[in-house]
Amino acid sequence: MLPKLNSIFMFMPVRWLGLVMFVAAASVIGAVASAQDGDTEIPDWLQSRMSLRISHRRDNGDMIALVRPLAEKVGDSVVQIVSDGKPVALGVVVSSDGFVLTKRSELSADPIRVRLGDGRLQPARVAAVRRKSDLALLRVEGLSQPLSRVQFVDDSPPIGSFLISAGRGGVPVGIGVVGVGPRRVEHNGRLGVILDEQQGQATVSGVWPNSGAEAAGVAPGDRILAINGLRETTRSSVIRILRDVFPGESVRLTISRAGQTMEMDAKIREIGVMQETENDSKINGPRSARLSGFDQVIQHDTVLNPDECGGPVLNSRGQVIGINIARAGRVVSYALPSSIVMGDMVSMMNEARGNPVAIP
C-alpha cells in the first residue's frame, strides 16, 4: 500500500497534496480511535510505529530491568522523606544508628517522618543543616534495629557516562547521561522587588509578578525597616542581606506602609522560574524550590520529579557517586558529587551527635 501511495504523491498537484495528507492522517487517527474502542485492530505496521517512541526511550522497561540489580544494591539505604504529611524528597542512610541525608529546602514543616525501605514510617528530626549545599541531616527515631548505610565513592564520571538514580527499596527512578562536567551553578534567587532609596530608607518601587514578594503582599511604596529582625534600612544593605538568602528560603520583612508597621514572610524564588512564560512552565514541568547556588554539581539529563531528589546517584558499576540535589528543567538534573557530600556529612554528624537543631 505504501509504495503505491508514494507513486501517487509524486505526480499529484501540489495544491491537492495538503488535502490528501490531511484525509490520510484523519483516517489513521480514526483507525486508532476505533481500535481503542474495540471496533477493530490496529494494523501491525501502525502498532510498531506507535510503540517505536516508547521502546527507544532510554528509561523503557527493558533498560530499567537491566539496571535494577545495580539500584537494588543500595535499596535498603534509600528512604522517602515525608514533611507536613506529604512526600517531599528521598534520603540516604549514612549511619546505621539512624542518620539520613536529604535535600534541605524541601523540608517545609514538622512533623517529619522517614519511610524506610521495608515500608515502616518512623518519626525524625533535623539534626544539622548545610545551607550552602542544601543538605539536611535527619535523625530517625524509634528504631528497633540498625539501618543499612550507603558507601560513597569519590568518582567524577566523564561526559557521556550513564547514571542511575535509585529510589526507596532499590527501584530505579531514572536513567540519565552526564551532559556537562562538574561545574558551579551561580546563585539566582531573588525576592522580586525593585528598590529605590528615599530619605535613607530602602523603598519598593516595583514588585515582580510570580515572585515571593508578590505572594507575601509586598506593594510599591513599602519601606523596608528590617529583615529577620535585624534593622536594615538602606538600599545597599537590604540587597547585601538578600544576596545571602538561597532560593527556597524565606525572610521575615518588617515594612512601613502608610504610617503603619507590618511584618510578612516572603520566599526567595529562582529568577528564571519567575521570568518564564506559562508555556515554558508547562514544558519544564515541576521543579525543585532551589535550583542554584551550588559550588559544584554534576549535570545529567535524568527526568526526575522534585520529590525524587535527595536520593543517591550511581555510576554504571553501581557505586554511589553523589546525591541528586535538584530537578532544574525538563531534562536537566543536578547531583552533588561525593567529594562535597562526604565533607558535609562528616561535619554534620559531628555536630549532630551533641547539638540537634530546628528547621531554620
Side-chain angles (χ1 to χ4, degrees):
M1 175 181 175
L2 291 178
K4 291 182 179 180
L5 285 176
N6 288 336
S7 62
I8 292 172
F9 290 155
M10 289 178 60
F11 299 101
M12 181 175 290
V14 174
R15 64 179 180 272
W16 293 358
L17 187 57
L19 177 61
V20 172
M21 293 299 290
F22 172 80
V23 172
S27 299
V28 170
I29 293 172
V32 173
S34 297
Q36 291 174 340
D37 292 337
D39 294 340
T40 186
E41 294 184 358
I42 301 176
D44 291 342
W45 66 269
L46 180 56
Q47 181 70 51
S48 63
R49 290 302 179 108
M50 292 172 64
S51 63
L52 186 64
R53 180 179 178 183
I54 297 175
S55 65
H56 280 61
R57 283 177 47 169
R58 184 192 308 138
D59 58 352
N60 64 66
D62 290 339
M63 283 294 291
I64 291 295
L66 184 65
V67 302
R68 184 160 189 154
L70 297 177
E72 286 177 341
K73 290 181 178 180
V74 298
D76 292 338
S77 305
V78 185
V79 299
Q80 183 185 60
I81 310 301
V82 178
S83 177
D84 197 22
K86 57 183 181 294
V88 296
L90 295 174
V92 292
V93 178
V94 294
S95 175
S96 60
D97 58 348
F99 283 107
V100 170
L101 274 182
T102 189
K103 181 172 169 64
R104 170 185 170 271
S105 57
E106 300 298 335
L107 301 176
S108 57
D110 290 327
I112 296 173
R113 291 184 171 85
V114 172
R115 190 178 301 279
L116 303 178
D118 60 10
R120 286 178 294 157
L121 192 62
Q122 301 291 131
R125 57 179 172 81
V126 177
V129 298
R130 290 296 178 267
R131 293 177 56 244
K132 196 172 184 180
S133 55
D134 198 23
L135 288 174
L137 184 69
L138 306 182
R139 180 67 184 265
V140 183
E141 300 176 330
L143 292 174
S144 58
Q145 57 189 21
L147 300 180
S148 176
R149 65 185 183 92
V150 299
Q151 296 284 348
F152 289 99
V153 173
D154 188 0
D155 177 61
S156 183
I159 294 174
S161 301
F162 277 100
L163 297 181
I164 304 153
S165 296
R168 186 180 69 86
V171 177
V173 295
I175 304 171
V177 173
V178 177
V180 182
R183 67 184 181 93
R184 179 182 176 85
V185 179
E186 296 295 335
H187 184 332
N188 288 317
R190 299 291 188 276
L191 175 61
V193 293
I194 302 171
L195 295 176
D196 291 334
E197 187 161 332
Q198 298 180 10
Q199 299 176 350
Q201 289 187 315
T203 304
V204 178
S205 60
V207 179
W208 293 5
N210 305 316
S211 66
E214 182 187 58
V218 178
D222 290 346
R223 295 189 176 187
I224 298 178
L225 304 179
I227 300 176
N228 294 334
L230 299 176
R231 185 172 179 79
E232 300 290 347
T233 58
T234 66
R235 179 178 180 272
S236 59
S237 65
V238 167
I239 291 175
R240 184 180 66 252
I241 293 297
L242 292 177
R243 280 177 177 168
D244 290 333
V245 186
F246 291 107
E249 297 179 339
S250 293
V251 293
R252 168 146 290 200
L253 302 174
T254 304
I255 65 170
S256 173
R257 178 185 295 172
Q260 294 185 334
T261 300
M262 307 170 60
E263 289 194 348
M264 55 186 66
D265 293 324
K267 181 169 286 190
I268 304 298
R269 294 182 177 173
E270 296 281 347
I271 185 172
V273 175
M274 286 191 286
Q275 293 178 331
E276 68 184 12
T277 65
E278 182 178 351
N279 189 54
D280 289 336
S281 297
K282 291 179 180 178
I283 292 174
N284 285 316
R287 278 156 293 171
S288 303
R290 177 174 169 185
L291 314 176
S292 65
F294 301 111
D295 283 346
Q296 190 178 85
V297 297
I298 300 169
Q299 180 176 323
H300 55 104
D301 63 359
T302 309
V303 178
L304 296 172
N305 293 320
D307 63 358
E308 292 171 335
C309 292
V313 59
L314 291 68
N315 60 22
S316 58
R317 298 186 297 278
Q319 299 169 318
V320 179
I321 63 166
I323 288 179
N324 283 316
I325 202 64
R327 160 76 188 272
R330 185 174 66 87
V331 288
V332 178
S333 294
Y334 297 146
L336 293 179
S338 290
S339 56
I340 289 179
V341 173
M342 289 188 293
D344 282 348
M345 177 186 71
V346 171
S347 65
M348 280 194 287
M349 288 184 64
N350 289 337
E351 173 187 325
R353 293 191 185 279
N355 301 300
V357 297
I359 300 176

